[in-house]
Amino acid sequence: MAIKTYKNYIDGKWVVSSSGETFDNINPANKKEIIGRFQKSNADDLNKAVKSAVKAQEGWRNLPAPKRGEILFRVGELLTKYKESLAEDMTREMGKVLNETRGDVQEAIDLTYYTAGEGRRMLGETVPSELNNKFCMTVRMPVGVVAAITPWNFPIAIPSWKLIPALVCGNTVVFKPASDTPLSAYRFVKIFEEAGLPPGVLNFVTGSGSEVGEPLIEHHSIKLVSFTGSTDTGAQVAHKCAWNMKQYSLEMGGKNAIIVMDDADLDPAVEGVVWGAFGTTGQRCTACSRVIVHKKVIKKFISRLLKRTKTLRLGDGLKNTTDVGPLINEEQRQKVLGYCKVGVEEGAKLLLGGNIYNKGKCRSGFFFEPTLFAEVSPKMRIAQEEIFGPVLSILECKSLERAVEIVNDSRFGLSSAIYTRDVNRAFKAIEKLDTGITYINSSTIGAEVQLPFGGTKGTGNGHREAGTTALEIFTEWKSVFVDYSGGLQKAQIED
Ligand code: NAP
């Protein structure tokens, strides 16, 4: 079958890059399969995209917010209509199993319906004035032209967290997706076009972080950069934005942990840990990569965990017999392999896996064995650094206090969880765990769109996506004072 070439979307038209070049998008479960060719864009394309977003700004912000919301509701309907084929395309280019790619699309649907409703809410405040005949209120204003830069692990859900709130708030957008998953991003943009979004309001440019991402961030007309990706790239984004006096919101890495106390119900705890550690092949920002188990139950827990992990079936995510798909690319597989070697060198006990998986048809993809390390100590690199693969470190603790200390001994602060049947311990954990998200008797993954999403420390810069907190990112506050006294009233000045 001929390989399709996909274009950029600028000013409502599908156009090729001025570089005249493309890059290949390949299937990580079968590296011989080229899914499509995408534009290898450059600063010239980028400038055109920003210019188009600037041109469209005035018209879009002047469209009443409920009308903007109506267009976005149509986006929600179309996501629902195409859910199955979007999920299939996503599994082909990203590798995670179909049930999870369906979940990825569903998250975008949920986010879209929830956030499009802001078109009729977008609440401000009215507060009393210190003077008579004066009215005080706050209103939300769009920020301007927004750059949305996204990773490959949630190819539609994460873009939805940025595009939908940015647009409902009256901003226009230039969207640069991850180079490993441009097809899902392309299909998402096609949906906005079909939903009737006016030309220039959303622009889509594919290409690398250095050739498209960097000039995008530095462009003088970009007022806000909304970035999700690694902490290292996020730090570079922050430097550039700070230097250019731009706003930026960063969602970055994690080193998430589950605590299993001695009173926990061990079967659901094992299920939660397996889902957290090996779902999405460990490539979630909220993946569980550390489990901290109470000394009294650690033997029993490890034996059940080992047995359960051995049942996981690796393969192509399109097959319904597959539990764990491939890693995204060879570079990521080598990184995960490198960490397994580091774990062994550091003295952790390798219980399972630790190597590339090359059996049968998996030979053609980037597969890696689900890996368990026991006897891990909190300062080991495998307990500190984000691996982003199917590797779980098991640590031991003697008390809840110690378990919390271990969880918090991290440069990241995204998600944490505790399994316990003691309500006092559960609430203590909620209070003490230094993460943006905490689950009780559930895994580290499973966020819902109506709640804020994000983390502390190296995971973020104080913002939260989703929920109503997304509005804090994508709007500017304006304070308004209406004086209807007919004279000059002076605040804070005594006559
Ligand atoms: P990444 O390498 O940082 O890339 C993220 C995005 O930034 C991609 O679109 C990438 O483009 C672009 N980029 C790379 N270098 C850039 C630069 N110098 N300037 C501007 N843009 C640049 O991250 P990733 O490997 O795609 O994603 C995995 C990471 O994302 C993990 O650390 C994970 O924890 C994190 N993540 C966090 C959250 C959260 O909400 N906290 C959610 C999901 C993932 P190319 O693809 O072209 O390189």
Side-chain angles (χ1 to χ4, degrees), residues 111 114 437 447-454 464-470:
L111 187 291
Y114 177 81
I437 304 167
E448 297 183 31
V449 302
Q450 64 277 24
L451 279 80
F453 183 94
R464 293 289 185 274
E465 291 193 319
T468 51
T469 45

Side-chain angles (χ1 to χ4, degrees), residues 176-191:
K176 188 216 107 53
S179 299
D180 281 307
T181 52
L183 179 59
S184 301
Y186 163 87
R187 293 212 45 200
F188 195 22
V189 172
K190 283 292 268 184
I191 284 176

Side-chain angles (χ1 to χ4, degrees), residues 401-422:
E401 289 68 28
R402 180 62 189 138
V404 168
E405 256 173 40
I406 295 172
V407 175
N408 289 346
D409 180 11
S410 168
R411 69 187 280 235
F412 304 106
L414 184 51
S415 181
S416 58
I418 181 168
Y419 280 85
T420 177
R421 282 183 275 201
D422 180 337

Side-chain angles (χ1 to χ4, degrees), residues 26 40 58 71 144-145 229 328 385 423 475:
I26 61 166
K40 193 169 182 299
E58 191 64 17
I71 296 176
V145 180
I328 188 70
E385 297 172 23
V423 69
T475 56

Side-chain angles (χ1 to χ4, degrees), residues 128-363:
S129 168
E130 63 192 53
L131 296 168
N132 285 329
N133 300 317
K134 194 173 171 192
F135 186 87
C136 302
M137 62 184 163
T138 59
V139 290
R140 290 182 182 276
M141 313 291 285
V143 180
V145 180
V146 172
I149 302 180
T150 55
W152 45 264
N153 64 337
F154 281 84
I156 291 189
I158 290 179
S160 80
W161 294 359
K162 301 183 184 310
L163 305 188
I164 302 292
L167 293 173
V168 81
C169 292
N171 305 287
T172 55
V173 179
V174 178
F175 171 31
K176 188 216 107 53
S179 299
D180 281 307
T181 52
L183 179 59
S184 301
Y186 163 87
R187 293 212 45 200
F188 195 22
V189 172
K190 283 292 268 184
I191 284 176
F192 283 95
E193 184 189 31
E194 189 177 341
L197 197 73
V201 172
L202 172 61
N203 303 274
F204 167 73
V205 185
T206 54
S208 72
S210 56
E211 283 169 299
V212 178
E214 287 186 29
L216 176 58
I217 293 164
E218 283 167 356
H219 196 291
H220 60 90
S221 294
I222 294 292
K223 300 293 178 223
L224 161 69
V225 177
S226 172
F227 168 85
T228 299
S230 64
T231 300
D232 287 349
T233 311
Q236 292 176 39
V237 172
H239 278 129
K240 290 204 170 79
C241 288
W243 188 249
N244 291 290
M245 301 294 280
K246 288 176 199 294
Q247 298 179 33
Y248 54 99
S249 84
L250 308 173
E251 296 290 343
M252 301 172 289
K255 188 70 188 174
N256 315 291
I258 295 179
I259 298 171
V260 180
M261 293 309 296
D262 49 339
D263 64 342
D265 190 346
L266 287 191
D267 287 334
V270 166
E271 284 307 311
V273 170
V274 168
W275 173 227
F278 304 117
T280 323
T281 323
Q283 301 171 110
R284 283 183 183 233
C285 51
T286 51
C288 168
S289 60
R290 298 178 291 162
V291 58
I292 297 127
V293 190
H294 197 281
K295 196 174 183 298
K296 285 188 192 156
V297 292
I298 195 163
K299 249 177 132 172
K300 215 193 279 181
F301 177 83
I302 287 180
S303 126
R304 291 190 202 182
L305 177 66
L306 195 55
K307 196 167 155 210
R308 176 69 179 92
T309 308
K310 282 181 182 167
T311 66
L312 297 174
R313 294 158 301 179
L314 275 69
D316 186 335
L318 289 174
K319 297 216 167 88
N320 59 14
T321 47
T322 300
D323 299 308
V324 180
L327 290 168
I328 188 70
N329 55 37
E330 185 57 32
E331 192 187 343
Q332 188 57 26
R333 185 157 73 160
Q334 289 303 323
K335 183 178 161 200
V336 175
L337 181 63
Y339 271 111
C340 289
K341 289 181 182 154
V342 165
V344 171
E345 280 160 23
E346 284 181 317
K349 184 173 170 189
L350 182 63
L351 293 179
L352 186 70
N355 221 330
I356 282 169
Y357 183 79
N358 259 338
K359 289 195 188 136
K361 287 193 174 156
C362 289
R363 203 176 306 116

